[in-house]
């Protein structure tokens, strides 16, 4: 029986690895390079051009904008991209290899923490959850793990922060600080780590509070260090007056989530989340209820009699519950935010798999009654089946007919425009409108502005629509039009 289980385990592990490789490969070389990736890429490109840590400012006046608050993907992601770009590698590959490296780091972290919680099968389940999750719908997607965005790098750093938390809380604090500088929204994870530290603290009452403060002060300081370093660089670069304006813009961006009022409801948001698992929303919701129910039951059963190892698992579980609730709750209750699951994605990638692993741990610790144990095993098997089905369907979707152009088609469509830009020494092109026109501009090597910005009045337009002025270059997919 043991040998059969081992063979089955490695067969499932191999299938899971193949599924992840397929999704990662398509994300690297098949999916189109889209506007948010392109906008983020302007920062490492400008850094190498000697323009400092600056975006093209396409959403803030269409001029070079140092420390642009609208670039919500941080230096923990963009500086390594700049290093790869400096080698002369293809810009899209340079942009996508860094997030893919963080994806591998995320999966490795989930395997480690899953095994620590409940053994190798829990590790497999934890690694399978991100494969089942899809955030590719809507106009602001995460197409795949290679997208030049900060959500997945932030989640990877959060998972490793939890791994080191019991023995090296100072390092966990530093990793959380780096996660914040991957994606600022990771500030929402701070309560999760506070709860985990509390669960790991010794004593009761005031004694426990004192132990918590003793454990937490250094991690809390180190959480702030990466942000302080980054903002110090901004102060030196911008000067006092510019820095104050930068902080004001940053606060406004954080408070608004970078969006206007989308007038969405909690029910709509939760429905969108349920539909983001490649399965009918009802089935995904059933899987979530099973995972939450099992994990919560395990915490209750072992709360008073937990061994030191079980206390660590309970700390992980409480952190995952609080973290998941913080991200999903913030997004669901913020009516101004659109129906984009990309917003809570760092919490989903980091904390949902841990809840699933804790559900497996809980089953092992069910009361010895035959009926209760059987019910727990059936529930855990149903959860695994839901996750596996979502993962299989997500992998299968990589081979579905494309509704959007592929990266190769996009490159072919940009090549004639790149030649025209180089021949005419054009520095700026205006995207008309914001969206599909942004990435082609960045791929030509020109700076990208927005067509309605004052600074772009005399700049040629790149569009996928018909030109209303003289057509300067046309590739079929896209064209460059003379300024109006």
């Amino acid at each position: 029986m043991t040998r059969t289980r081992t063979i089955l385990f490695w067969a499932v592990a191999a299938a899971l690895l193949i599924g992840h490789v397929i999704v990662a490969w398509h994300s690297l070389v098949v999916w189109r390079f889209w506007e948010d990736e392109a906008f983020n890429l302007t920062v490492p490109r400008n850094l190498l051009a000697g323009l400092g840590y600056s975006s093209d400012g396409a959403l803030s006046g269409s001029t070079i904008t140092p420390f642009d608050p609208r670039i919500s993907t941080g230096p923990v992601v963009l500086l390594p991209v700049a290093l790869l770009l400096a080698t002369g590698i293809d810009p899209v590959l340079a942009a996508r290899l860094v997030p893919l490296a963080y994806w591998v780091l995320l999966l490795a972290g989930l395997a480690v923490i899953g095994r620590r919680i409940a053994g190798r099968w829990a590790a497999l389940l934890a690694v399978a959850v991100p494969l089942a999750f899809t955030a590719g719908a809507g106009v602001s997607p995460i197409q795949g793990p290679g997208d030049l965005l900060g959500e997945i790098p932030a989640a990877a750093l959060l998972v490793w922060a939890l791994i080191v938390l019991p023995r090296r809380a100072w390092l966990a604090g530093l990793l959380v600080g780096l996660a914040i500088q991957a994606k600022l929204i990771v500030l929402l994870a701070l309560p999760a780590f506070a709860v985990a530290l509390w669960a790991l603290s010794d004593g009761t009452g005031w004694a426990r509070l004192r132990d918590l403060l003793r454990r937490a002060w250094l991690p809390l300081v180190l959480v702030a260090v990466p942000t302080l370093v980054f903002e110090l660089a901004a102060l030196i670069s911008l000067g006092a007056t510019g820095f104050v304006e930068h902080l004001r813009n940053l606060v406004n961006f954080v408070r608004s989530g970078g969006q206007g009022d989308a007038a969405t409801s909690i029910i709509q948001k939760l429905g969108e989340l349920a539909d983001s698992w490649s399965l009918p929303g009802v089935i995904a919701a059933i899987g979530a209820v099973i995972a939450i129910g099992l994990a919560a039951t395990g915490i209750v059963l072992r709360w008073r009699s937990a061994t030191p190892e079980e206390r660590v698992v309970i700390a992980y579980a409480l952190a995952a519950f609080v973290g998941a609730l913080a991200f999903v709750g913030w997004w669901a209750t913020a009516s101004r935010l659109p129906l984009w699951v990309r917003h809570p994605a760092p919490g989903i990638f980091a904390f949902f798999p841990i809840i699933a692993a804790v559900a497996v741990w809980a089953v092992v610790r069910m009361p010895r009654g035959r009926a209760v144990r059987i019910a727990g095993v059936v529930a855990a098997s149903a959860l695994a089946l839901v996750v596996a089905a979502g993962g299989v369907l997500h992998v299968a979707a990589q081979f579905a007919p494309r509704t959007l152009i592929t990266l190769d088609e996009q490159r072919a469509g940009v090549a004639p425009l790149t030649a025209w830009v180089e021949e005419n020494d054009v520095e700026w092109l205006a995207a008309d409108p914001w969206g599909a026109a942004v990435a082609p501009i960045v791929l030509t090597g020109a700076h990208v502005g927005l067509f309605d910005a004052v600074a772009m009045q005399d700049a040629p337009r790149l569009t996928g629509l018909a030109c209303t002025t003289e057509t300067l270059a046309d590739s079929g997919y896209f064209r460059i039009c003379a300024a109006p």
Side-chain angles (χ1 to χ4, degrees), residues 460-479:
R461 270 67 170 146
L462 188 148
T463 183
L465 307 173
C467 289
T468 57
T469 58
E470 179 187 358
T471 301
L472 304 175
D474 193 336
S475 68
Y477 280 114
F478 311 106
R479 52 206 54 85

Side-chain angles (χ1 to χ4, degrees), residues 328-395:
V328 174
W330 159 77
W331 172 63
T333 57
S335 62
R336 66 183 179 279
L337 295 178
L339 297 174
W340 301 342
V341 291
R342 176 182 160 190
H343 281 126
I348 293 170
F349 281 122
F351 298 124
F352 280 33
I354 294 173
I355 294 173
V358 174
V360 176
W361 169 83
V363 171
V364 178
R365 282 149 183 83
M366 289 286 184
R368 294 189 178 276
R370 182 178 178 86
V372 174
R373 185 63 64 88
I374 290 175
V377 171
V378 170
S381 300
L383 172 61
L385 184 61
V386 169
V387 172
V392 169
L393 291 174
H394 187 192
V395 173

Side-chain angles (χ1 to χ4, degrees), residues 78-96:
L78 299 182
L79 291 181
V81 172
L83 290 176
L84 282 182
L85 281 176
T87 68
I89 192 174
D90 174 82
V92 176
L93 291 182
R96 289 180 166 179

Side-chain angles (χ1 to χ4, degrees), residues 35-111:
E35 54 266 26
D36 279 18
E37 290 184 275
F39 189 36
N40 288 333
L41 184 58
T42 65
V43 174
R45 194 177 68 171
N46 287 339
L47 187 62
L48 291 181
L51 298 174
Y53 191 86
S54 305
S55 78
D56 284 354
L59 297 176
S60 49
S62 297
T63 59
I64 298 298
T65 306
F67 297 91
D68 187 351
R70 289 187 172 273
I71 298 289
S72 59
T73 295
V76 170
V77 181
L78 299 182
L79 291 181
V81 172
L83 290 176
L84 282 182
L85 281 176
T87 68
I89 192 174
D90 174 82
V92 176
L93 291 182
R96 289 180 166 179
L97 284 173
V98 170
L100 273 180
Y102 277 110
W103 178 250
V104 173
L105 191 66
L106 171 66
L107 299 181
L110 291 175

Side-chain angles (χ1 to χ4, degrees), residues 201-260:
S201 298
D202 296 321
T204 58
W206 288 107
R208 187 169 200 167
L209 179 59
R210 285 193 297 271
D211 190 54
L212 172 62
L213 294 176
R214 180 186 62 81
R215 289 171 177 265
W217 74 266
L218 182 57
L220 187 61
V221 170
L222 291 174
V223 163
V225 167
T227 298
L228 289 175
V229 170
F230 182 71
E231 295 303 331
L232 179 61
L235 174 60
I236 294 171
S237 175
L238 300 173
T241 302
F243 182 68
V244 170
E245 183 65 23
H246 156 75
L247 288 182
R248 184 179 295 114
N249 292 334
L250 181 61
V251 169
N252 290 337
F253 180 79
V254 171
R255 290 179 62 185
S256 67
Q259 305 297 326

Side-chain angles (χ1 to χ4, degrees), residues 432 451 456-461 468-470 481-484:
D432 186 8
F451 72 101
M456 293 290 101
Q457 285 182 346
D458 299 322
R461 270 67 170 146
T468 57
T469 58
E470 179 187 358
C481 315

Side-chain angles (χ1 to χ4, degrees), residues 426-438:
V426 173
E427 291 190 14
W428 286 84
L429 289 172
D432 186 8
W434 173 268
V438 174

